């Protein structure tokens, strides 16, 4: 008997989740391929890339070495070996993937996930992020056909704060629980305004009933063209009114003037959680009446506090310089001085206060010319008027008012108040963090690091593989969270406190600790878990709907 060990980590569970969503079968049905010409189907090759991305992502030329340490019969329905997953085979699968509508592929997989998990989708959240890449990606080497069909890896507005690098962009639409149902890989210079217009078509063609689901996005959604488009498509939306519209400032000023605030309370738990107040308005915008909700918060981030200090210092210096100039002005009569004082105070709109007092200036001068002898003449008295100015620092109430105004923003929605009141609209908009969390996972260097491909078509195809991996990780996270919520329990991750809403990264880190011991006899091989395996890892498997047998028994044995 020989004893050995392997570290499959999360691979076996990821393979079964891929099977639940029928990724291999869906890809094989969508791409053009000849089974007689392929040792391994393109669907299995792409699934292998998805698993590798989630467990220990490698460049294509290293993927076969990754699978050399895996128990292949337990991962794939096809009878394959690690050497079959070489970079040539994987590259060809990406080429085939690039030929199909990958957004339709993601939509099909998402539909399967919604059916498997019985998701109740009342809202979706959409946004984009940039992904910086290294390398030249010379546009001259790209054919015109590829330019028209595939993405361009070019410089654009970098959300990674790396404007010197070329990039591509990922777009996601996720459910209110954070599961991606629409995904997109696009050119690095595409604006969010254009992307939102495109994704609205994807939204309408998805399996969701657009009139029954609220579409939530950030302020990039709100352009006159997009608002008209959503009205025509009858898409219910929630977004933030951008500052480029004068209406935003007008509504905030109106809210402060009327002061009819409704207290909504905090949106999160904890004593330090920000509290919110809202004030609704109905105003015509782009030819229709929409609901606008002015929101103010009790929280001011450190950036705005620093901005306030810079503003006060700059304002004081400018006002001192201005007052120095004003103090030199002279007027021939008191009414002129008072008119000037009134005009200056009317124009003054700074945080620092400014007051002035008209003063009479009397000057004594000798008459011009040579004075007469023995006949002294009385000196001439000249009366002019000036203004004495005083600068006052802002009161604490004025500073607090500035802070409150800076925290204020305006939401716009076409959803009726009967379905979503002010609190619901604000709460739904705050859930936009769900798509941001998916982007954090997508760009986590532990899972998705450098892009090692040279052709934009393969980079684009790999981008969709990464989005498939995000779907699988999201499915794991959603399933575990729902199970913990249903059972009213938590899991413990090492020295960390008890967690009821574990992240996908935390779960994968726990699963990647899994080791399997192999007892190799002459006529058979036995697989066993070590006796000291973390019981919380076994709980994760159970909460995901599986047990240790996915690591010790071959589910495809009868098929081979």
């Amino acid at each position: 008997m020989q004893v050995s060990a392997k570290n499959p980590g999360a691979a076996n569970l990821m393979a079964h989740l891929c099977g639940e969503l029928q990724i291999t079968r869906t890809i094989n049905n969508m791409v053009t391929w000849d089974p007689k010409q392929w040792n391994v189907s393109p669907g299995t090759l792409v699934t292998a890339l998805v698993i590798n991305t989630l467990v220990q992502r490698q460049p294509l030329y290293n993927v076969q070495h990754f699978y050399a340490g895996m128990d292949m019969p337990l991962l794939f329905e096809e009878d394959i070996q690690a050497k079959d997953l070489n970079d040539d085979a994987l590259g060809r699968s990406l080429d085939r993937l690039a030929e199909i509508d990958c957004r339709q592929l993601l939509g099909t997989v998402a539909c399967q996930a919604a059916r498997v998990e019985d998701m109740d989708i009342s809202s979706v959240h959409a946004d984009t992020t940039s992904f910086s890449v290294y390398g030249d990606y010379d546009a001259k080497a790209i054919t015109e056909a590829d330019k028209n069909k595939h993405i361009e890896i070019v410089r654009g507005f970098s959300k990674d704060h790396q404007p010197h690098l070329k990039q591509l962009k990922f777009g996601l639409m996720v459910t209110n629980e954070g599961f991606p149902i629409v995904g997109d890989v696009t050119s690095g210079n595409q604006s969010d305004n254009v992307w939102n217009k495109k994704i609205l078509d994807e939204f309408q063609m998805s399996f969701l009933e657009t009139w029954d689901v609220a579409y939530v996005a950030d302020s990039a959604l709100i352009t006159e063209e997009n608002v008209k488009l959503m009205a025509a498509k009858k898409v219910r939306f929630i977004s933030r009114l951008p500052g480029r519209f004068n209406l935003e400032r007008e509504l905030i000023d109106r809210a402060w003037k009327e002061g009819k605030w409704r207290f909504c309370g905090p949106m999160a738990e904890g004593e330090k959680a920000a509290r919110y107040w809202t004030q609704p308005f109905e105003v015509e915008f782009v030819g229709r009446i929409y609901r606008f909700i002015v929101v103010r918060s009790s929280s001011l981030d450190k950036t705005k506090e620093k901005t306030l200090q810079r503003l006060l210092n700059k304002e004081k210096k400018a006002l001192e310089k201005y007052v120095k100039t004003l103090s030199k002005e002279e007027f021939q009569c008191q009414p002129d001085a008072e008119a000037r004082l009134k005009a200056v105070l009317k124009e003054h709109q700074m945080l620092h206060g400014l007051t002035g007092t008209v003063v009479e200036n009397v000057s004594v001068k000798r008459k011009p010319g040579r004075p007469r002898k023995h006949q002294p003449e009385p000196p001439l008295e000249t009366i002019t008027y000036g203004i004495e100015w005083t600068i006052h620092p802002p009161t604490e109430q004025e500073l607090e008012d500035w802070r409150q105004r800076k925290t204020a923003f305006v939401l716009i929605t076409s959803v009726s108040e009967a379905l979503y009141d002010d609190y619901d609209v604000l709460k739904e908009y705050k859930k936009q963090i769900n798509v941001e969390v998916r982007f954090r996972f997508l760009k986590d260097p532990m899972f998705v690091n450098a892009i090692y491909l040279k052709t934009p078509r393969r980079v684009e195809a790999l981008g969709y593989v990464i989005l498939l991996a995000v779907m699988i990780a999201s499915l794991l996270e959603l399933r575990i969270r729902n199970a913990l919520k249903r059972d009213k329990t938590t899991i413990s991750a090492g020295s960390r406190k008890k967690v009821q809403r574990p992240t996908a990264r935390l779960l994968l880190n726990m699963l990647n600790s899994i080791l399997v011991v192999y007892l190799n006899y002459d006529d058979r091989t036995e697989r066993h878990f070590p006796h000291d395996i973390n019981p919380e890892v076994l709980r994760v498997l159970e909460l995901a709907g599986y047990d240790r047998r996915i690591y010790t028994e071959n589910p495809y044995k009868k098929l081979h």
Side-chain angles (χ1 to χ4, degrees):
M1 179 186 69
Q2 293 182 340
V3 180
S4 60
K6 291 185 178 182
N7 176 212
N12 293 47
L13 179 56
M14 297 303 102
H16 279 75
L17 293 179
C18 287
E20 283 194 57
L21 300 192
Q22 300 180 10
I23 291 177
T24 299
R25 183 181 303 176
T26 302
I27 292 173
N28 286 340
N29 289 338
M30 293 184 68
V31 304
T32 301
W33 67 294
D34 183 357
K36 296 180 181 179
Q37 302 296 322
W38 290 66
N39 291 331
V40 183
S41 71
T44 295
L45 291 166
V46 171
T47 301
L49 286 174
V50 170
I51 296 170
N52 174 250
T53 298
L54 291 166
V55 180
Q56 190 184 71
R57 182 170 174 258
Q58 302 287 332
L60 294 193
Y61 58 82
N62 270 344
V63 170
Q64 63 178 329
H65 300 301
F66 165 80
Y67 279 104
M70 294 291 158
D71 198 337
M72 299 294 285
L74 273 63
L75 297 180
F76 304 105
E77 185 173 340
E78 295 181 44
D79 187 10
I80 62 175
Q81 300 178 18
K83 65 180 182 180
D84 296 322
L85 303 178
N86 57 71
D87 56 340
D88 287 335
L90 296 170
R92 286 195 300 272
S93 70
L94 291 178
D95 289 336
R96 289 291 189 273
L97 200 62
E99 294 172 355
I100 68 171
D101 186 349
C102 289
R103 290 169 297 183
Q104 182 183 352
L105 166 63
L106 293 180
T108 303
V109 174
C111 183
Q112 174 67 8
R115 185 188 65 81
V116 168
E117 288 301 301
D118 191 23
M119 298 181 191
D120 180 19
I121 305 172
S122 59
S123 65
V124 291
H125 300 257
D127 202 357
T128 68
T129 191
S130 57
F131 189 90
S132 300
V133 297
Y134 295 86
D136 189 22
Y137 293 96
D138 187 2
K140 297 179 180 178
I142 303 172
T143 65
E144 287 299 322
D146 274 354
K147 278 186 179 181
N148 296 330
K149 188 176 180 181
H150 299 291
I151 66 171
E152 292 185 79
I153 301 176
V154 293
R155 291 181 178 87
F157 177 73
S158 175
K159 298 183 181 183
D160 295 331
H161 306 292
Q162 298 191 74
H164 59 290
L165 295 177
K166 293 184 178 181
Q167 64 182 25
L168 63 150
K169 295 184 78 173
F170 287 98
L172 276 181
M173 182 193 294
V174 305
T175 69
N176 47 352
E177 293 181 312
F179 185 85
I181 55 173
V182 173
D184 189 30
V185 182
T186 188
S187 298
N189 59 355
Q190 186 174 87
S191 72
D192 283 3
N193 294 339
V194 174
W195 180 83
N196 270 289
K197 181 182 177 182
K198 181 175 67 172
I199 213 68
L200 285 172
D201 292 327
E202 300 289 331
F203 179 35
Q204 194 172 38
M205 291 186 294
S206 70
F207 61 90
L208 301 175
E209 303 291 353
T210 56
W211 59 85
D212 195 38
V213 178
Y215 179 80
V216 187
D218 63 16
S219 61
L221 170 67
I222 305 303
T223 65
E224 291 190 7
E225 185 179 8
N226 286 347
V227 171
K228 290 179 181 178
L229 182 64
M230 288 187 289
K233 292 179 178 292
K234 297 182 178 179
V235 174
R236 301 188 307 163
F237 70 91
I238 296 172
S239 186
R240 178 171 175 169
L241 183 66
R244 61 178 176 272
F245 291 100
N246 292 332
L247 181 59
E248 188 220 29
R249 178 50 51 190
E250 292 173 6
L251 288 173
I252 291 176
D253 289 343
R254 181 178 168 186
W256 248 261
K257 183 178 180 180
E258 296 186 8
K260 299 177 181 179
W261 297 102
R262 301 175 181 174
F263 179 63
C264 288
M267 295 283 135
E269 297 179 357
E271 296 180 359
K272 296 183 179 180
R275 293 164 296 163
Y276 294 90
W277 291 260
T278 61
Q279 195 167 162
F281 299 96
E282 289 192 358
V283 180
E284 182 178 345
F285 182 69
V286 196
R288 295 187 62 180
I289 300 296
Y290 289 96
R291 288 174 62 200
F292 293 89
I293 302 171
V294 180
V295 183
R296 67 181 178 90
S297 166
S298 63
S299 174
L300 182 69
D301 60 39
K302 294 181 180 179
T303 302
K304 288 188 175 65
E305 196 64 53
K306 291 179 180 178
T307 301
L308 174 60
Q309 294 305 318
R310 287 197 300 268
L311 174 64
L312 292 175
N313 293 335
K314 182 179 179 180
E315 189 178 276
K316 185 178 180 182
K317 290 180 180 178
L319 197 54
E320 287 174 345
K321 184 177 180 180
Y322 183 46
V323 165
K324 188 175 182 180
T325 302
L326 291 175
S327 299
K328 296 178 181 179
E329 296 179 345
E330 289 187 348
F331 303 91
Q332 298 303 312
C333 64
Q334 185 173 347
D336 286 351
E338 291 175 346
R340 176 59 170 163
L341 172 62
K342 186 177 181 181
V344 171
L345 295 181
K346 184 178 181 180
E347 294 175 356
H348 180 71
Q349 294 182 346
M350 294 184 178
L351 285 172
H352 283 82
L354 184 65
T355 57
T357 304
V358 175
V359 294
E360 181 181 278
N361 300 317
V362 179
S363 59
V364 179
K365 294 184 179 180
R366 182 178 60 83
K367 285 186 177 182
R370 180 179 295 179
R372 296 177 182 180
K373 292 182 178 180
H374 311 296
Q375 293 183 1
E377 296 182 5
L380 293 175
E381 288 188 354
T382 303
I383 299 176
T384 59
Y385 297 87
I387 304 173
E388 290 184 352
W389 299 96
T390 305
I391 300 173
H392 305 279
T395 65
E396 188 56 42
Q397 182 59 44
E398 288 170 334
L399 293 178
E400 183 60 26
D401 186 62
W402 183 93
R403 293 185 182 101
Q404 290 290 323
R405 282 176 177 263
K406 283 301 177 181
T407 64
F409 57 93
V410 181
L411 298 178
I412 174 175
T413 181
S414 61
V415 183
S416 69
E417 190 171 7
L419 294 175
Y420 282 70
D421 61 18
D422 294 357
Y423 178 85
D424 294 329
V425 172
L426 176 59
K427 186 176 181 180
E428 202 60 60
Y429 182 74
K430 286 291 182 180
K431 287 183 181 179
Q432 191 70 359
I433 189 66
N434 287 336
V435 68
E436 297 294 337
V437 169
R438 290 295 161 248
F439 286 144
R440 287 177 208 163
F441 177 85
L442 185 152
K443 299 165 77 168
D444 191 323
M446 287 189 65
F447 303 106
V448 181
N449 40 42
I451 299 291
Y452 301 96
L453 303 173
K454 293 183 179 180
T455 63
R457 59 185 286 131
R458 285 192 176 182
V459 171
E460 181 178 357
L462 181 62
Y464 283 102
V465 171
I466 292 171
L467 290 179
L468 284 172
V470 173
M471 276 189 172
I472 298 298
S474 301
L475 176 63
L476 173 66
E477 180 183 284
L478 177 61
R479 185 171 291 180
I480 299 298
R481 287 183 175 185
N482 286 343
L484 291 173
K485 182 179 180 181
R486 181 179 61 250
D487 299 341
K488 297 181 179 180
T489 58
T490 60
I491 62 172
S492 176
S495 59
R496 295 186 55 163
K497 63 181 181 180
K498 302 288 185 179
V499 180
Q500 189 175 32
R501 292 179 57 81
T503 64
R505 176 174 177 174
L506 173 62
L507 294 169
L508 287 169
N509 285 344
M510 293 177 66
L511 291 166
N512 281 335
S513 67
I514 291 177
L515 292 172
V516 177
V517 177
Y518 289 77
L519 304 180
N520 300 300
Y521 299 95
D522 292 337
D523 57 343
R524 71 185 189 281
T525 297
E526 294 181 2
R527 304 173 179 90
H528 299 276
F529 273 6
H531 65 85
D532 59 347
I533 186 171
N534 184 354
E536 289 296 290
V537 173
L538 296 178
R539 278 197 65 217
V540 170
L541 291 177
E542 292 172 0
L543 292 169
Y546 296 93
D547 58 34
R548 67 178 68 197
R549 286 177 295 177
I550 63 174
Y551 287 87
T552 60
E553 298 178 10
N554 184 354
Y556 310 114
K557 188 173 182 180
K558 295 180 181 179
L559 302 176
H560 290 157

